[in-house]
Amino acid sequence: MPDVDVPKWDVALEALAAEEYQKLGRPLTSEDLSRLAREYAIRFDDIMVTIFELCFQDEWLYLGPDGEETPLAREAVESLFVNGRIREEDMAALPGTWRPRF
C-alpha cells in the first residue's frame, strides 16, 4: 500500500471555513466560526483546533487586532484549552481574525 499524506487537520472543516471566508470577503472572526459551529452542529472546539493547526502548518494566518500577521505559539494556544476543550469565551485572548494564506 502506498504512503498517503494525511493532513493534521480536518479537511472538511477547512473547506467550510475557506468557503465562509470567500463568501464574506474578509478574514473570519471567532464569532464567525462560532456561528458556523452552531449552523452546522459542529463543536466550536473542533473548528478552532482545525484553524489553529492550519496556522501552525502555515496554511492560514492569524491577524492580530491591528490587522497584522501574528504568529501563534502552539504552547500559548494549548494553554487556552480547559479540560481538553476550548470555549468561545476562551477566545477573548485572541481577538484577531483568521484567513487562508493564498
Side-chain angles (χ1 to χ4, degrees), residues 66-83:
D66 59 1
E68 295 296 317
E69 181 179 352
T70 304
L72 294 175
R74 190 175 291 272
E75 299 77 26
V77 167
E78 287 175 357
S79 73
L80 299 175
F81 287 78
V82 177
N83 297 323

Side-chain angles (χ1 to χ4, degrees), residues 4 18 23:
V4 177
K23 182 175 103 179

